[in-house]
Amino acid sequence: MSEQLLFLIVLAVVIIVFANTIASRVRVAGPLILVGIGVVISLIPAVPALAVAPELILVGVLPPLLFSAAVSAPAIEFRRDLSAIGGMSVLLVILSSLVLGLFFAWAVPGLGLPLGIALGAILSPTDAVATSIVRRLGVPRRVLTILEGESLLNDATALVTLRTAIAVTATSFSFVATLGAFVWAVLSAILIGALVGIVALRLRVWTHSPTANTALGFTVPYLAYLPTEAVGGSGLVAAVAAGVVCGQGALRWLSPDQRISDKLNWRTVEFILEGAVFLIMGLELYGIVQNNLAADEGLLRGALIAGAAFVILVLVRAAYVLPMLGLHNARVRGWVQRRIDGDSGNRRGPRSSQRLGRMRADIEYYDASPLTWKDSTVIVWAGMRGVVTLAAAQTLPRDTPERDLLVFVAFLVAAGSLLIQGLSLPLVTKLLRLPAGRAGGTSRDEVRMIGDDLRVTAEQAVARRAVLRADRTPFADELYRVPTSHFFSAPDETEGDDTPASLEFELAVVMLMRERLHVLARSGEFSTGAARHMLDELDAYEISLRLHLDGED
């Protein structure tokens, strides 16, 4: 059995790599191809029905996936659209759950409103993994930020609503208790997740072995998830909170080797786990259909209910998102402008100037990328469900009326959402003719501007003799007279001066450039993507210098 399991795991990895290779050639998102492959395999008579324990997805897969997404989350951009992200993560999920609950209570006799709301909560949250489909389309960066923020945070609302609705079937409903449970689930998750993130950063500073450091990093999502769930909080939100803290603290606390290693390792983990969940989703089709038929339920009834639920989800999302985002941009811009006018009249100081600078950068951001009706349309249509919906549906109590039908409906809504919306999104974005200049990704102009600023910072520091050793003592006089262009070339491209002292001087210059980059990143003047791109360049350059310095020693 162990050999068979090992073979299946290896085969799954090969399929994931193959599917993504094909996806890049046929211009179809890899997750969609993996779902299709899984469905085809599940229909082969020799392949037994697959039933994956929901805990494997909710506990084993989602914490590291959400942690990885949170580590690379654009914190400044999230802050700027936090009200929109929060509304879609909380209000939209609750609204969708209630509307769907009413529909399911009517469409499935004997189900009742509480269980109908429970199923509505299962179908309401967009899937963080499904946003990988949107990321490949090159949609405007601000659109992607809102979608990623929504998918990272709305699981807490959905799972708390699910737990509450199921509990109501056994007890009476209490609005105060429900509100308290939600607040506790979120606050406890944020506190525990942030604490775990801070402790993890400190421990990783003390752990100098790259291998041990990587192993410790892989435990962080679970160290945040498990204690939070034990106290009744949302473990997924805790994993997100830990990821945000680790991502923002990486520049200050981790070494270049650790940052680059983390980036490569988490990309690999994300690639495998994302592919696995979509493949599993397709593989579970046959088993779910068989269970539904064995319960004397026809496929047509489930398909009709799922189709109606999908339409309701899209309509409710459009009714909420279109007017909300239409007002959001003007509201936040006006709020920031009022803050600027109020602070401008107060006594100026360094902190006040920095705050005003960030607020002016916020206004420039809103002006440069306003949320138009085209952006809102993409956000509405890109709200796909995924494997979280299917895993959560399988947590319904065994004595739930027509449980197999409900699980089948959840699968159809999730798979249908991925296939219908995922396959049509490229056409939708093409018909909307979104400006190419606003596509998501790192702006070359921003990277060039940051690079120019860092070079000026380095040149000024050299001219002022502000480049110092770690013990704050100056370097030899001749090093300050070397042309600064020498210090920004690869060591192999220059001749003569690659002595240990020269390399140490260059490392000190890199440290100053990194400190300046930290200031630029916090100012909000440049996008998070551009700042991180330049950080990667500095890290790679520092690693190259240290390798040559070790060789000289």
Side-chain angles (χ1 to χ4, degrees), residues 18-19 32 54 75 103-104 110 148 152 157 191 223 236 279 291 319 342 348 382 420 444 451 461-462 519:
F18 172 77
L32 299 179
F103 167 72
F104 288 128
E148 288 179 337
L152 279 175
T157 307
L191 290 175
L223 291 174
L236 297 182
L279 185 60
N291 290 339
R348 300 292 296 275
I420 295 173
R444 293 183 179 179
V462 171
V519 173

Side-chain angles (χ1 to χ4, degrees), residues 332-498:
V332 294
R333 189 190 187 284
W335 179 80
V336 173
Q337 185 62 59
R338 288 192 296 272
R339 288 282 307 276
I340 290 177
D341 295 339
D343 284 9
S344 297
N346 298 331
R347 186 174 63 179
R348 300 292 296 275
R351 291 190 176 182
S352 178
S353 299
Q354 293 175 2
R355 184 168 60 250
L356 286 173
R358 284 195 296 268
M359 288 189 288
R360 291 193 176 97
D362 290 347
I363 287 185
E364 292 178 1
Y365 174 80
Y366 298 134
D367 288 341
S369 56
L371 292 172
T372 66
W373 68 269
K374 294 182 179 181
D375 299 315
S376 299
T377 302
V378 172
I379 290 174
V380 169
W381 196 240
M384 289 170 282
R385 277 64 190 170
V387 73
V388 177
T389 291
L390 182 57
Q394 294 174 350
T395 64
L396 287 171
R398 291 293 175 184
D399 57 353
T400 300
E402 303 193 76
R403 182 181 184 276
D404 293 305
L405 172 66
L406 302 184
V407 174
F408 180 59
V409 168
F411 175 85
L412 289 182
V413 171
S417 170
L418 283 171
L419 294 174
I420 295 173
Q421 294 173 282
L423 289 174
S424 61
L425 259 176
L427 178 61
V428 171
T429 55
K430 183 178 180 180
L431 291 176
L432 290 174
R433 296 181 180 178
L434 295 176
R438 298 173 60 217
T442 301
S443 168
R444 293 183 179 179
D445 292 337
E446 282 191 302
V447 172
R448 185 169 58 253
M449 292 171 63
I450 295 176
D452 292 342
D453 188 293
L454 297 185
R455 278 185 286 273
V456 169
T457 298
E459 291 168 358
Q460 291 176 347
V462 171
R464 298 195 316 268
R465 301 175 67 87
V467 182
L468 304 175
R469 300 180 187 275
D471 59 2
R472 310 307 296 172
T473 59
F475 287 90
D477 291 341
E478 59 269 16
L479 291 176
Y480 293 99
R481 292 192 292 268
V482 174
T484 55
S485 58
H486 168 83
F487 297 111
F488 310 118
S489 303
D492 287 338
E493 296 177 2
T494 58
E495 297 179 0
D497 285 339
D498 290 332

Side-chain angles (χ1 to χ4, degrees), residues 261-319:
S261 175
D262 277 1
K263 188 173 184 178
L264 294 176
N265 288 327
W266 279 111
R267 275 186 178 178
T268 303
V269 170
E270 194 172 342
F271 175 79
I272 296 298
L273 292 183
E274 276 188 3
V277 295
F278 285 112
L279 185 60
I280 288 172
M281 189 173 179
L283 289 170
E284 287 192 296
L285 169 65
Y286 183 74
I288 291 173
V289 171
Q290 286 295 99
N291 290 339
N292 188 66
L293 292 176
D296 296 326
E297 298 289 351
L299 298 183
L300 180 59
R301 182 190 176 201
L304 291 175
I305 294 175
F310 173 74
V311 172
I312 291 173
L313 278 171
V314 174
L315 292 178
V316 171
R317 185 175 179 86

